[in-house]
Amino acid sequence: TYKSLRYELDGHLALLTLNRPDALNAIDDEMHTDLLEALLHIRGEQNVRCVLFAAEGKAFSAGGDLNEVLTLQADAAKRTRMCDTGQRIIHALIDIPVPIVVALHGDAMGLGASVALGGDIIVASKTARIADPHVKVGLVAGDGGVLFWPASLGMHRARRYLLTGDLMP
């Protein structure tokens, strides 16, 4: 059981649902841990043939939980642990040997965008938007953004969004 997401196995389908709708599915320390553990669990499931990745609420994911980001400035050990977990989430997405279908509704920002773009197929609503706004606060795209954006959009189009932080409809 996970506190911030739901994991269900329906025959050969693994359904993974982000479940912090009141926080726009912002990825805090607990969700980092839950997400990594769930992805590693899915990777070990012998009968899974496909993963459906979804989210509850009006946003897919607001990305990193800004309330928690403030605490990371004062806690170097926690910051290091969360960065490591974020990298491991990206590697776990890449290592899942079956297709990952992302049901994208609402916005996917930062790590939320990386998770969405890390899927093999994105089925998006017409109002869904993706962005990596790290650049707007003087940071480079983190959490797999520099890997997944160019692989998904092509280098030049990815650069436009990663260097401006603009929303991609």
Side-chain angles (χ1 to χ4, degrees):
T1 41
Y2 304 102
K3 295 178 183 174
S4 60
L5 54 87
R6 284 194 324 270
Y7 172 74
E8 303 168 53
L9 192 55
D10 184 5
H12 298 291
L13 175 68
L15 177 59
L16 187 60
T17 307
L18 301 178
N19 194 22
R20 290 187 70 214
D22 294 342
L24 301 176
N25 294 309
I27 303 171
D28 62 359
D29 191 26
E30 181 176 80
M31 188 182 278
H32 261 98
T33 301
D34 282 354
L35 188 52
L36 177 59
E37 288 177 9
L39 292 171
L40 293 173
H41 179 81
I42 291 168
R43 188 175 68 182
E45 286 280 356
Q46 297 299 314
N47 294 323
V48 170
R49 294 186 186 159
C50 183
V51 177
L52 178 58
F53 203 157
E56 288 292 331
K58 66 180 185 177
F60 182 78
S61 176
D65 188 325
L66 295 180
N67 293 323
E68 193 147 65
V69 169
L70 296 174
T71 67
L72 297 178
Q73 293 175 350
D75 190 341
K78 183 176 181 181
R79 184 173 59 244
T80 300
R81 187 182 72 254
M82 282 189 71
C83 287
D84 179 60
T85 304
Q87 288 177 351
R88 293 181 65 207
I89 289 168
I90 299 307
H91 290 140
L93 277 169
I94 293 168
D95 287 343
I96 290 179
V98 297
I100 300 172
V101 179
V102 177
L104 185 62
H105 71 286
D107 292 343
M109 304 291 148
L111 178 55
S114 294
V115 167
L117 293 173
D120 298 296
I121 298 170
I122 299 174
V123 179
S125 74
K126 291 183 180 190
T127 59
R129 302 177 305 172
I130 298 177
D132 194 317
H134 285 94
V135 70
K136 293 187 177 206
V137 292
L139 300 171
V140 297
D143 303 321
V146 295
L147 174 67
F148 288 139
W149 280 81
S152 299
L153 281 73
M155 185 60 76
H156 287 96
R157 191 165 178 219
R159 283 181 181 167
R160 177 209 165 185
Y161 289 104
L162 291 176
L163 293 173
T164 63
D166 290 345
L167 288 163
M168 181 179 69

